[in-house]
Amino acid sequence: MNVITTQGLSKIYKRFEKEAGLKGSVKSLFNRKFTEKHAVSAFDLNIEKGEFVGLIGPNGAGKTTLVKMLTGIIAPTSGEISVLGYYPNKLENAFKKQYAVVMGQKSQLFFELTPTDTFRLFKELYAIPDDLYKRNVGYFVELFGVSQFLNVQVRTLSLGERMKMELIVALLHSPGVLFLDEPTIGLDAASQRQMRLFLKEVNREKGTTILLTSHYMEDVRSLCPRSIVIGGGAKIYDGSTDNLFDSYQTRKKITLAFDTETDFTVPYNCELIDKSPYKVVFMAPKDGDARLISTLAQEYTPIDISAEEEDIGAVVERIYAGGMNR
């Protein structure tokens, strides 16, 4: 059963343009010029109940516009759209009670209140029955391990603690669909891993359909069996996350740091990104990166070595070059 369906979904923004200066301003009063920005173009999408899907792409690709249309914040220019059987932009109360949004850079918490007071406020806003409210609060407080923070001001919580409360607030009314926008942004590595474990548990135990937007590739790889890549407003990949990375994320960024001046020679088949006497950054083929790192550690004895996944922007460019559209 599909909980999200779009066909030919498009969003076009009109941008007003004028020449610089007073003369340009006067001319624009009588002859206005507009350009069109195709934020989302002919987008077809089907997401089934209980799926955990990653939506990825470079900045300006159209991800946020797509999510805004799915949540009813903005109306599409053309095409069909259905979320949980509703047309989102009608903003019916029955629809708004069946989805939730969590954004890593925006908070829905009240910083002067305690989490407990915030939970009670959202209970009234969503008209959550007493038994469901008690059951969900108990379940999520135990899952996230936050019982000791329930009666302190939100403003005193760390970022990681606050993000847990954001998720609890979003999930109190048992939404059918959860939209996540960069939920791990700003978190340290340990908190990111913990957040991923929580989201997996929610998806598995509650059957919540989740659409995740993230620039952190580890979020997508560890959480989403299916990924959708969007670029220039169009869908350019829709399929297995493992296949996506195996096919297109062919390199890793290797960084070595030294405590003394070191004359480093970039290995064969690698691309130098940055180099100084105490640090070197280069791109290396993903196949054999473990052996390469082991060899470099023995030869140069750096004080630190890190290997990062290739940026999603490079992956998208490679998909474009390959002409893939699945």
Side-chain angles (χ1 to χ4, degrees), residues 93 96-100 116-138 140 167-175 206:
N93 285 333
K96 290 188 286 185
K97 290 181 178 180
Q98 294 188 51
Y99 77 88
T116 296
D117 288 337
T118 304
F119 297 164
R120 289 173 177 167
L121 176 60
F122 274 77
K123 175 184 182 296
E124 298 303 320
L125 287 174
Y126 283 93
I128 304 172
D130 289 342
D131 57 341
L132 178 61
Y133 172 77
K134 291 176 182 178
R135 186 164 64 249
N136 280 349
V137 169
F140 290 118
L167 281 171
I168 293 176
V169 165
L171 294 166
L172 275 180
H173 61 290
S174 296
K206 297 289 186 178

Side-chain angles (χ1 to χ4, degrees), residues 30-79:
F30 304 97
N31 184 23
R32 290 204 161 216
K33 293 183 178 180
F34 294 90
T35 60
E36 290 187 345
K37 164 66 174 177
H38 291 253
V40 174
S41 301
F43 205 94
D44 295 339
L45 177 63
N46 290 291
I47 296 178
E48 295 185 359
K49 179 177 173 57
E51 278 198 274
F52 203 138
V53 180
L55 181 64
I56 54 182
N59 291 330
K63 304 185 301 296
T64 300
T65 298
L66 177 61
V67 171
K68 285 182 176 180
M69 287 192 286
L70 293 175
T71 55
I73 295 174
I74 60 176
T77 303
S78 62

Side-chain angles (χ1 to χ4, degrees), residues 250-254 282-284 286 289 307-310:
T250 58
R251 304 191 300 173
K252 282 193 174 183
K253 184 170 73 173
I254 311 296
F282 61 93
M283 301 300 297
K286 187 167 64 173
D289 64 297
E308 301 175 49
E309 298 289 354
E310 191 173 16

Side-chain angles (χ1 to χ4, degrees), residues 252-286:
K252 282 193 174 183
K253 184 170 73 173
I254 311 296
T255 303
L256 283 75
F258 313 99
D259 57 359
T260 59
E261 291 191 15
T262 302
D263 184 16
F264 182 85
T265 301
V266 179
Y268 174 71
N269 277 348
C270 295
E271 177 189 354
L272 181 66
I273 302 299
D274 186 33
K275 183 179 180 181
S276 72
Y278 296 94
K279 182 180 178 181
V280 63
V281 183
F282 61 93
M283 301 300 297
K286 187 167 64 173

